[in-house]
Amino acid sequence: MTKQLKNYINGEWTDSSQTDDRNEVLNPATQEVIAYAPRTTKEETEEAIRVARETYESGVWSDLTVHERAAYLDRIADQIDEHFEELVDLEVANNGKIKAEAEFDIGDAAECFRYYSGLIRTVQGETYEVPEPMQAMVVREPVGVAGLIVPWNLPMLMAVWKLAPALAAGNTVVLKPAELTPVTTTRLFELIDEVGVPKGVANLVHGRGSVVGQTLAESDDVDVVSFTGSTDVGKGIMKAATGNLKKVSLELGGKSPNIIFADAKFDVAVDMALFGIFFGAGQVCSAGSRILVEEPIYDRFVEAFSKRASEIRVGPGNDPNSQFGAMTSEKQMNRVLEYIEIGKKEGATLVTGGQRLTENGLDRGFFIEPTVFVDVDNDMRIVQEEIFGPVVTIQPFNGEKEAIELANSTDYGLAGAVFSQDPAKALRVIKKVRSGITWVNTYHPTYNEAPWGGYKQSGIGRSLGTYGLDDFQEVKQININLEVEPTGWFD
Ligand code: NAP
Ligand code: MG
């Protein structure tokens, strides 16, 4: 059954007035239409922002005790757990990812609400020793109205990475999901409604980035905009935010290096490098899309890696046999195929993959083979630009110095990894990698407790951890005179 999704504004489920222009939401494994979502207008978005503003000013959320807000977050987490299977299936159907990946996303989303429910109950201010009779303290307050703009690769999880800290801190929010993947987020807002979060606190507005997203970034009534998506759109958000100098948090793209030294455990390095690039079909911002391998093991690595890449079973996310799923959209599939053509034209050697998959019913969806390029020059576009798909380049290097130079040679700085059995060398090298999320002898594990974000053009600010809360809080110093006397300054 095709579902008509709605906006959730001021506690009401409403449609946009633009009923003749709806967004068709597809299952990318089959191209079936699974839902229709509103294309909300600028004026309707402004109305949602006004609701969030008034709700914020009313204090129904910000004036609650942290225990009361935390209790709502716990109940949302419980609701996610209770609807786990349903949310997993919806994410698989809408995003194209395999079930095991969606299970990770939904489980982590519940944990993220619990993490911020716990964090907001912990130490929230500071006091300083200052000369008597003064007392100086620092308190944390919500920023106000938060505009949250979410991408399509981890639709539910990226929404929650923003919602949980924003709500924990006492802000009201207007969230825009990606048009490609609004389904799980809409279900999440139904669950938020069911736990009785006061109306107007959490608002959901569907629609185009250029309309709804742009309005959130521009609005003088939005105090902080938190965006996850591409570097190009991120730059536009930053410009749009200058009108009222709102706080800006940007989680952007990556082209992350995975450095493999000759002394690494070979099989582990191959295995983790596969996981690093092909998890999520490569549609992961932190993907290890540039593998750098030390000369002595380079040929052996290319052979072993490419063989295993060619054996990966690509297919529909709901087929337990599939190891990675569909590209989330036809546009994304075509973008990846275009990059594969660019790689060939630039003179790189295609070792395996490179094609759209169409056998056994896969022609109905957007599937691409795991693709490996070698013989690349460092300035080729397939080495420098984020492809955001199952395409990896493998480059040789000689020694630590060259590894670090190559690792840091793009505009991005999101993630990176080092594989070596020499712990001192591994630490030395990873410290020189200009990225915010790094690993040694593994790839991808991350935790709600630790900051997530990038150096250079991979973004500004950090999600998760205490840092993720900072995005949604202002800090205020309060200086109290405990002995009220004239200063005598002008006597
Ligand atoms: P995108 O095209 O930048 O879109 C991201 C979101 O921004 C979508 O909701 C989109 O809306 C909206 N948007 C588009 N144009 C806008 C505008 N002018 N003003 C305001 N909002 C606008 O990125 P994507 O293609 O969805 O996602 C892939 C990118 O996200 C990759 O670059 C990836 O690396 C990055 N990413 C980064 C992280 C991280 O943590 N650093 C995590 C996940 C993804 P519509 O698409 O609905 O129009
Ligand atoms: Mg886009």
Side-chain angles (χ1 to χ4, degrees):
M1 197 187 70
T2 314
K3 203 166 171 192
Q4 175 62 56
L5 305 181
K6 291 193 169 159
N7 291 332
Y8 182 68
I9 301 169
N10 208 17
E12 304 284 337
W13 292 98
T14 53
D15 202 353
S16 162
S17 60
Q18 280 199 160
T19 48
D20 54 346
D21 178 22
R22 289 196 205 282
N23 167 32
E24 257 186 14
V25 183
L26 300 185
N27 177 334
T30 61
Q31 298 192 58
E32 276 166 286
V33 178
I34 55 171
Y36 291 93
R39 287 231 159 95
T40 310
T41 64
K42 182 174 170 61
E43 291 68 31
E44 290 160 347
T45 306
E46 285 168 343
E47 171 60 17
I49 295 169
R50 195 187 56 72
V51 164
R53 180 92 251 153
E54 283 181 14
T55 309
Y56 179 73
E57 304 296 346
S58 79
V60 290
W61 189 246
S62 58
D63 289 350
L64 293 183
T65 66
V66 292
H67 308 95
E68 289 168 322
R69 285 204 303 272
Y72 280 111
L73 267 61
D74 288 338
R75 295 216 290 276
I76 297 169
D78 291 345
Q79 285 276 53
I80 294 172
D81 284 346
E82 271 168 42
H83 298 83
F84 182 81
E85 291 299 334
E86 178 196 352
L87 288 163
V88 166
D89 290 343
L90 290 174
E91 201 73 306
V92 168
N94 192 180
N95 167 278
K97 62 178 63 193
I98 62 167
K99 224 171 156 179
E101 292 170 11
E103 284 169 356
F104 168 82
D105 294 359
I106 305 303
D108 214 39
E111 276 312 306
C112 187
F113 273 108
R114 290 201 179 93
Y115 172 74
Y116 281 106
S117 155
L119 185 68
I120 199 68
R121 299 170 198 250
T122 62
V123 179
Q124 284 299 318
E126 295 149 30
T127 63
Y128 296 100
E129 285 292 323
V130 293
E132 286 181 1
M134 295 299 294
Q135 172 68 61
M137 66 168 92
V138 176
V139 297
R140 288 175 170 264
E141 297 178 348
V143 184
V145 175
L148 312 178
I149 305 172
V150 178
W152 45 260
N153 62 332
L154 298 130
M156 171 98 167
L157 191 58
M158 291 302 110
V160 169
W161 281 13
K162 299 180 190 308
L163 262 178
L167 293 178
N171 301 276
T172 60
V173 310
V174 179
L175 183 143
K176 188 203 103 61
E179 280 216 296
L180 289 172
T181 55
V183 173
T184 44
T185 316
T186 307
R187 189 71 187 105
L188 173 66
F189 272 75
E190 289 172 3
L191 301 177
I192 290 173
D193 178 75
E194 280 172 32
V195 306
V197 170
K199 65 188 177 73
V201 172
N203 303 282
L204 170 72
V205 178
H206 296 279
R208 295 179 198 273
S210 56
V211 179
V212 177
Q214 183 74 17
T215 304
L216 288 172
E218 276 172 2
S219 170
D220 285 354
D221 267 330
V222 173
D223 303 298
V224 49
V225 62
S226 175
F227 168 82
T228 300
S230 58
T231 294
D232 279 350
V233 175
K235 288 179 181 176
I237 301 264
M238 197 158 170
K239 286 194 195 116
T242 54
N244 67 339
L245 290 179
K246 60 173 65 65
K247 281 180 80 160
V248 176
S249 158
L250 303 174
E251 301 287 346
L252 309 177
K255 191 76 179 174
S256 299
N258 189 358
I259 304 167
I260 297 166
F261 283 99
D263 65 359
K265 270 194 183 165
F266 186 82
D267 293 343
V268 173
V270 171
D271 187 77
M272 292 282 184
L274 284 170
F275 188 62
I277 177 62
F278 296 127
F279 174 78
Q283 300 177 120
V284 174
C285 53
S286 51
S289 50
R290 291 185 298 136
I291 303 178
L292 310 174
V293 183
E294 208 169 15
E295 280 281 7
I297 60 162
Y298 179 76
D299 290 338
R300 188 173 152 224
F301 184 94
V302 169
E303 198 189 323
F305 181 91
S306 306
K307 178 169 185 295
R308 285 199 55 191
S310 68
E311 291 164 1
I312 291 174
R313 296 186 302 273
V314 181
N318 61 3
D319 178 347
N321 196 42
S322 303
Q323 293 177 314
F324 83 59
M327 299 290 99
T328 299
S329 68
E330 183 168 22
K331 187 172 157 209
Q332 186 63 17
M333 177 183 71
N334 288 335
R335 180 189 147 96
V336 174
L337 291 171
E338 205 180 300
Y339 267 108
I340 292 170
E341 287 314 306
I342 289 169
K344 291 186 205 160
K345 281 205 196 92
E346 285 179 314
T349 304
L350 180 71
V351 187
T352 186
Q355 302 290 329
R356 177 177 183 180
L357 286 163
T358 51
E359 308 269 291
N360 303 321
L362 295 191
D363 59 323
R364 292 187 300 147
F366 312 129
F367 296 93
I368 297 184
E369 291 177 315
T371 299
V372 180
F373 277 110
V374 296
D375 303 330
V376 294
D377 289 335
N378 201 48
D379 53 6
M380 285 182 179
R381 289 184 60 193
I382 58 165
V383 178
Q384 291 295 322
E385 297 175 17
E386 183 183 51
I387 299 173
F388 217 59
V391 180
V392 72
T393 57
I394 313 181
Q395 296 169 264
F397 71 86
N398 267 306
E400 288 177 43
K401 188 167 169 286
E402 196 188 3
I404 293 161
E405 273 168 19
L406 286 172
N408 293 333
S409 67
T410 75
D411 291 337
Y412 293 109
L414 190 58
V418 172
F419 287 78
S420 164
Q421 292 197 75
D422 175 346
K425 178 166 74 181
L427 186 59
R428 220 162 39 231
V429 172
I430 206 70
K431 280 178 144 183
K432 293 282 184 206
V433 173
R434 305 273 301 151
S435 295
I437 306 153
T438 66
W439 297 281
V440 173
N441 292 328
T442 186
Y443 209 100
H444 275 327
T446 58
Y447 307 96
N448 284 317
E449 291 78 2
W452 179 276
Y455 287 23
K456 301 197 284 184
Q457 295 192 31
S458 288
I460 299 176
R462 295 291 182 272
S463 297
L464 298 181
T466 55
Y467 308 85
L469 197 58
D470 291 345
D471 276 349
F472 297 104
Q473 289 182 320
E474 290 282 9
V475 287
K476 174 188 283 176
Q477 56 170 300
I478 304 179
N479 300 294
I480 305 168
N481 181 358
L482 294 170
E483 222 172 271
V484 184
E485 298 283 349
T487 65
W489 186 275
F490 293 110
D491 283 356

